[in-house]
Amino acid sequence: RAAGEERSTALGSELAAARKAVGEERTARGVVDREVSRLTATVDAHQQERKDLREELTEEARAERRALEGKLHFEEAQCAAARRAHERDISEVRQVWGEQRARLFT
C-alpha cells in the first residue's frame, strides 16, 4: 500500500509538472502569437505607408508635370506671339523698303 501511495504521489507530481509545462508552453505560445500579431500589424502599417507615399509621390509628379506643361504652353504661346510680331516687323520693313526703292527709281 505504501508503494501504491508513493507511486500515486509520484504520478501526481508528474501530472503537476506536466500541467505546469503545458501552462508554460501555452504562455510561451501566447507571447509568441502576440508578438507575431504585433509584428504583422507593424509590417502591414509600413506597407500601407509605403503605398500611400508612392501614391503621394505619383500625385506630386502628376501635379509637377501639369505645371510644367502649363508653363511650356504659356512659353510656346509667347514664342508664337513674338514670331508673329517679328514677321509683321519684317513685312513693314519690306513695305517701307519697297516704297523707298520705288521713289528712288521713279
Side-chain angles (χ1 to χ4, degrees):
R1 180 176 179 159
E5 285 180 14
E6 191 175 301
R7 183 173 164 124
S8 176
T9 302
L11 288 174
S13 294
E14 283 183 38
L15 179 60
R19 285 182 176 157
K20 181 179 177 187
V22 167
E24 289 172 356
E25 177 68 22
R26 286 182 181 158
T27 300
R29 281 186 188 171
V31 169
V32 168
D33 288 346
R34 283 189 299 279
E35 185 65 10
V36 166
S37 294
R38 185 187 70 77
L39 291 173
T40 300
T42 301
V43 167
D44 291 346
H46 285 304
Q47 287 176 340
Q48 184 62 45
E49 184 178 349
R50 285 179 60 201
K51 180 182 174 190
D52 293 346
L53 287 172
R54 208 174 311 120
E55 289 174 5
E56 183 179 319
L57 288 174
T58 301
E59 193 56 42
E60 286 177 10
R62 283 189 203 126
E64 186 175 338
R65 181 179 179 173
R66 283 191 299 270
L68 289 173
E69 286 173 346
K71 183 178 178 182
L72 177 62
H73 179 71
F74 177 75
E75 289 175 358
E76 286 174 341
Q78 283 186 320
C79 286
R83 183 174 42 251
R84 286 190 301 272
H86 182 65
E87 288 170 355
R88 276 193 308 273
D89 291 345
I90 290 172
S91 178
E92 289 174 9
V93 167
R94 285 182 178 157
Q95 183 180 354
V96 170
W97 183 73
E99 291 169 1
Q100 288 178 354
R101 194 176 80 188
R103 279 191 222 141
L104 285 173
F105 294 111
T106 56

